[in-house]
Amino acid sequence: MIISLIRTFLLYLVIIFAVRLMGKRQISELQTSELVVTLLISDIASIPMQNTGQPLVSGLVPIFMLVAIEIILSVLMLKSGRFRKVICGRPIVVINDGKIQQNELRRLRMTTEDLFEDLRQNSIVSISDVAYAIVETNGKLSVIKKPGKESVTPDMLQLVVPDTGIETVVISDGVISETSAKLCKKSVAWVEGVLKGKNLTADQVFLMTANTAGDFQIIKKEGKTQ
Amino acid sequence: MNRIWAALAILVILFGGSFWGMNEVSRMTTEVTEMLVQVQDTMDSGDTEQSRALIQQVVNTWHGYHHLMSYFIPHERLETVSQTLSTTQSFLKSGTEDEARAECNRALNQLHTLMDTEMPYMNNIL
């Protein structure tokens, strides 16, 4: 039993390392090859975890082999569009200029219910609002609304919106984050200056956010907002 | 680009390790096989004492190799060889040579299969 325990811990570490090595793409939307690798890794890892008569190496070798193949494939896909098309396929337009492409739906084995479900998930309630709908290579549906159905943006109204930059959490539970402060182009000294102006110390602050423009919000540990 | 180098390094380590493992299995099984053939020869010549000494040597050698091979070969396959070798030794100690000879042949077959299954032959791959 202790062997299973140790092996589970080791394999956990190995899989974390493997997923980190494969990159951030692996933990968001999965392409075909990524889905295959993820499924295989989880399956392979469980064998030496449960069967102590199986050497741990027999699980590690295929995992690392898959990681290496996945990285090499992703680099090849980056270099060659044709190769990417072979591995991932190509996006398919299912609504073109407001018209449902029935042949493409049939080819994708996608029912109208599936299409409407995906549209609703994209906050579309009527098909007449859609100009184009594309099934991407990762299986997600991208929707482009008809120009008249788009939400009004400040640009459309020719309004000038002040750019406040990025807002970050500069103090979390009394701890000042230098990295977050730098991200919104502020320094620890600036944060401390703001706190001094409010007669506060960092320990008393539950949350402080700040943006590039210099706006900030402080929530004290007691829960009072300033 | 660092990732591609890491991937290539992993491939080199995996292929290197796999070839090393394959060669080691081949070397170890061949050595134990040769020792078992010697045991058979001594049994055929009627030198029971010598065959007992040799089988002890085989068991000891296999014990060391078993430990190393258990890192990369399923333990069950290795244990069947260990069991057959111990049985051969017991039969030789008790003087039942015919059974000992049969067990020795079984051990030779198991070693041959063990080596065969670790080789990258087409029948193993497909």
Side-chain angles (χ1 to χ4, degrees):
Chain A
M1 208 153 88
I2 188 80
I3 296 168
S4 287
L5 198 85
I6 298 166
R7 282 184 173 194
T8 306
F9 177 68
L10 290 175
L11 282 161
Y12 175 78
L13 295 181
V14 166
I15 292 170
I16 293 278
F17 174 71
V19 173
R20 288 279 295 125
L21 200 64
M22 284 189 286
K24 294 224 189 300
R25 276 157 54 95
Q26 207 63 31
I27 46 180
S28 59
E29 292 301 329
L30 299 177
Q31 293 287 348
T32 319
S33 66
E34 294 158 354
L35 178 73
V36 170
V37 168
T38 310
L39 290 175
L40 280 176
I41 285 182
S42 58
D43 219 33
I44 290 165
S46 68
I47 299 168
M49 222 185 257
Q50 293 165 346
N51 183 359
T52 50
Q54 198 74 24
L56 186 63
V57 174
S58 69
L60 297 181
V61 167
I63 288 174
F64 281 111
M65 190 67 191
L66 286 169
V67 168
I69 294 170
E70 170 56 24
I71 294 171
I72 291 167
L73 276 188
S74 63
V75 170
L76 288 176
M77 283 195 279
L78 201 70
K79 301 269 178 207
S80 159
R82 192 176 292 175
F83 187 72
R84 187 182 152 76
K85 209 179 273 181
V86 170
I87 301 291
C88 297
R90 58 177 181 81
I92 293 171
V93 180
V94 287
I95 299 178
N96 193 355
D97 205 12
K99 284 180 195 143
I100 295 179
Q101 305 298 298
Q102 294 180 25
N103 285 339
E104 299 292 9
L105 280 181
R106 222 169 286 136
R107 207 156 69 86
L108 283 167
R109 294 185 302 281
M110 190 180 193
T111 62
T112 46
E113 283 82 7
D114 294 334
L115 177 64
F116 273 80
E117 191 183 312
D118 281 346
L119 288 174
R120 282 195 296 276
Q121 279 168 2
N122 280 280
S123 306
I124 307 283
V125 284
S126 169
I127 198 159
S128 59
D129 295 353
V130 182
Y132 298 95
I134 303 148
V135 178
E136 305 291 356
T137 53
N138 59 13
K140 269 190 89 176
L141 186 78
S142 299
V143 181
I144 300 158
K145 287 183 191 171
K146 286 179 179 166
K149 301 290 180 183
E150 288 284 1
S151 308
V152 179
T153 64
D155 278 356
M156 288 175 184
L157 301 172
Q158 292 178 333
L159 292 173
V160 180
V161 181
D163 183 8
T164 55
I166 187 171
E167 185 172 295
T168 61
V169 175
V170 288
I171 299 179
S172 175
D173 207 11
V175 181
I176 301 176
S177 166
E178 197 183 340
T179 321
S180 300
K182 269 185 189 164
L183 205 62
C184 66
K185 292 179 181 148
K186 296 285 173 281
S187 63
V188 173
W190 179 86
V191 176
E192 284 169 345
V194 170
L195 291 176
K196 207 174 173 185
K198 299 276 177 192
N199 285 324
L200 287 169
T201 60
D203 308 343
Q204 295 171 299
V205 177
F206 174 67
L207 178 79
M208 177 178 170
T209 60
N211 65 23
T212 317
D215 303 324
F216 60 88
Q217 193 183 18
I218 297 172
I219 299 172
K220 281 197 219 169
K221 273 193 177 164
E222 289 80 17
K224 287 180 186 170
T225 311
Q226 290 197 1
Chain B
M1 267 301 134
N2 282 340
R3 282 205 169 92
I4 189 89
W5 289 117
L8 291 174
I10 288 171
L11 282 181
V12 169
I13 293 167
L14 290 180
F15 276 102
S18 301
F19 277 107
W20 174 82
M22 187 182 74
N23 285 328
E24 278 300 285
V25 171
S26 171
R27 181 186 66 80
M28 289 184 277
T29 49
T30 308
E31 191 184 324
V32 177
T33 303
E34 281 167 3
M35 289 171 89
L36 277 174
V37 171
Q38 277 185 337
V39 173
Q40 275 185 329
D41 290 345
T42 51
M43 274 195 282
D44 289 342
S45 62
D47 192 350
T48 316
E49 279 308 307
Q50 178 66 9
S51 53
R52 278 180 195 157
L54 274 173
I55 194 71
Q56 181 62 51
Q57 225 176 311
V58 173
V59 168
N60 291 341
T61 309
W62 175 254
H63 185 72
Y65 289 164
H66 184 167
H67 182 72
L68 179 64
M69 281 194 269
S70 62
Y71 283 102
F72 50 91
I73 292 179
H75 303 176
E76 208 177 305
R77 275 192 235 162
L78 301 173
E79 271 146 27
T80 48
V81 180
S82 295
Q83 278 169 6
T84 314
L85 288 177
S86 330
T87 318
T88 313
Q89 191 180 24
S90 317
F91 281 134
L92 270 173
K93 272 184 187 166
S94 61
T96 44
E97 280 192 25
D98 284 343
E99 281 85 347
R101 200 169 278 117
E103 282 300 306
C104 196
N105 279 328
R106 202 148 78 99
L108 282 169
N109 276 329
Q110 284 168 345
L111 283 167
H112 182 73
T113 311
L114 182 68
M115 189 175 83
D116 241 23
T117 49
E118 288 303 309
M119 294 296 131
Y121 300 143
M122 204 49 93
N123 60 326
N124 289 334
I125 295 167
L126 299 177

